Amino acid sequence: MGISLPAVAVAGCTAVLLLQPVTAAAVTEPAPQRRTSAGGGSVTSLPLTAGRALAPRTTQPFELLGVGWDDPARSLAGGSVQVRTRDAATHVWSGWHLLDADGEDGPDTPGGGATAPLWTGPSDGVAVQVTPGPAGLPAGLRLELVDPGRGAAPASPRTLPAEPPDGHQAPRPAIVTRAGWGADESLRDPDFDYTGPVRVVFVHHTVTATEYACDDAPRVIRAIYQYHVQSNGWRDIGYNFLVDRCGTVYEGRAGGAELPVHGAHTLGFNTDSAGVAALGTFVTDTPPPPVPDGLARLAAWKLGLTGQDAGGRAQLVSSSSGSRYPKGTTATFEAVSGHRDAFNTECPGATLYPLLPAIRTQAVLLQSGARWAVPRPPVR
């Protein structure tokens, strides 16, 4: 039997948004909107109305959620979004989870805004509490519930096999293709967008669950993909690549793993770069040993395709005033950099970021043909 949560009153400037079935005496809520995808996946949007206190509500099944809004000029910066979810199997409510309200990922000219997504696992109930920032609440605030489904019918090939180095290139790691993780190709923009040669690889973390079975990684990636496309309105998943806790490398944004696909991962510096995200949250959790190893193998190969030294540096020009650098500013980055090097964020997390020097070293040795492994920290 589920735990009933009491309604929370509005205090001060805090808008508490708790969702429940609407009674006849209540003001009618806008109807939820549900968009489906191949393989049974879906995204359900629940409009949020500020200044009302309602009890939690039962929802369609979901496994990932976030909060989005329509106005790209407004954000929840300085405010907060907290959510509680109900486990679909046990019917037990979770504690409150704080969502990252600053949208530092994304294209350089976003059409709206959204929090970072939260992987909840199979859930069927939700409550939301929003505290506005100094600018108030942006228009079109809505809760997005994502069910990754079974995935689209797999096509061949499902994996790009590992290949030996070719000339100056490092070996290509085995890469699970989009077909391999069940991407519904009808969701994304049908055209591909390319940038110049990749000179910097930015490392991220997805701020989703860290303790997951590696067999479930494709479900997490499908959910992030659906959230980025159907909730955020991006042309495709933002990251060029992803790496799970077992070190498996996945193809992210479509257009060719070996090609310089223009991603949406590091606001202001998506041009001439690639973004790779470690699946998990590495703020206090130490990355499992295969994670830095997978990041190094991917970075060595991707940078080596155009002869970029993984231990070198490169200059990129900021294309957005939202980054750490004003638009038009030339900034110098390590060839393997963290998201925080380009944006005021903790990403890729306090436990993963310090591993970047060792990841660079391994990538350099891979490019030189040497075999070496990142020193592996103990797993908590």
Side-chain angles (χ1 to χ4, degrees):
M1 183 174 180
I3 298 174
S4 297
L5 296 178
V8 181
V10 176
C13 64
T14 300
V16 180
L17 309 173
L18 301 179
L19 307 174
Q20 72 170 7
V22 179
T23 65
V27 177
T28 302
E29 290 278 1
Q33 297 181 351
R34 187 167 183 262
R35 291 95 72 196
T36 60
S37 61
S42 68
V43 177
T44 301
S45 295
L46 299 174
L48 300 179
T49 304
R52 298 175 62 193
L54 301 174
R57 76 176 280 174
T58 296
T59 67
Q60 292 283 341
F62 66 93
E63 298 186 28
L64 177 143
L65 61 75
V67 170
W69 53 90
D70 295 336
D71 187 354
R74 298 280 294 277
S75 75
L76 286 170
S80 66
V81 180
Q82 297 183 79
V83 297
R84 295 186 77 173
T85 59
R86 186 175 64 195
D87 188 288
T90 66
H91 307 297
V92 173
W93 285 90
S94 72
W96 288 103
H97 295 280
L98 183 66
L99 302 184
D100 188 344
D102 292 323
E104 67 266 15
D105 294 337
D108 296 327
T109 54
T115 67
L118 172 71
W119 177 259
T120 65
S123 306
D124 63 3
V126 68
V128 182
Q129 180 173 307
V130 178
T131 301
L137 294 175
L141 202 66
R142 62 192 181 275
L143 177 67
E144 302 282 282
L145 304 176
V146 183
D147 177 4
R150 301 181 307 277
S156 181
R158 300 188 66 179
T159 302
L160 299 176
E163 290 185 347
D166 178 14
H168 62 265
Q169 299 178 5
R172 184 180 74 187
I175 301 174
V176 176
T177 65
R178 291 171 62 90
W181 54 262
D184 177 1
E185 300 296 357
S186 69
L187 298 182
R188 64 171 175 79
D189 192 301
D191 298 323
F192 302 127
D193 186 24
Y194 296 99
T195 182
V198 171
R199 291 182 281 146
V200 175
V201 169
F202 285 107
V203 176
H204 302 251
H205 64 166
T206 56
V207 201
T208 52
T210 305
E211 297 296 329
Y212 55 88
C214 292
D215 288 345
D216 286 336
R219 296 182 65 83
V220 181
I221 296 171
R222 287 199 303 274
I224 295 172
Y225 170 48
Q226 290 167 223
Y227 186 73
H228 283 179
V229 176
Q230 294 183 289
S231 300
N232 295 5
W234 300 352
R235 63 184 298 127
D236 197 347
I237 191 171
Y239 308 115
N240 296 102
F241 300 93
L242 302 98
V243 175
D244 72 16
R245 61 181 286 108
C246 291
T248 303
V249 178
Y250 297 84
E251 178 185 16
R253 181 162 285 208
E258 76 287 354
L259 298 176
V261 179
H262 196 179
H265 48 83
T266 306
L267 185 67
F269 294 100
N270 291 310
T271 299
D272 299 344
S273 70
V276 54
L279 281 177
T281 301
F282 301 110
V283 177
T284 58
D285 291 340
T286 300
V291 171
D293 184 67
L295 293 170
R297 288 184 288 111
L298 184 280
W301 170 72
K302 189 64 178 177
L303 292 167
L305 291 174
T306 52
Q308 174 67 47
D309 179 4
R313 295 184 175 184
Q315 291 185 326
L316 302 177
V317 178
S318 173
S319 59
S320 173
S321 57
S323 74
R324 287 182 58 185
Y325 300 89
K327 185 176 181 178
T329 301
T330 299
T332 301
F333 296 100
E334 302 282 355
V336 180
S337 287
H339 189 182
R340 67 172 64 176
D341 295 320
F343 193 92
N344 291 318
T345 175
E346 67 178 5
C347 183
T351 61
L352 178 54
Y353 186 78
L355 298 181
L356 293 186
I359 291 172
R360 291 187 202 105
T361 300
Q362 180 182 4
V364 168
L365 291 171
L366 286 169
Q367 287 184 337
S368 70
R371 290 179 174 270
W372 190 77
V374 171
R376 297 184 170 183
V379 178
R380 292 182 181 177

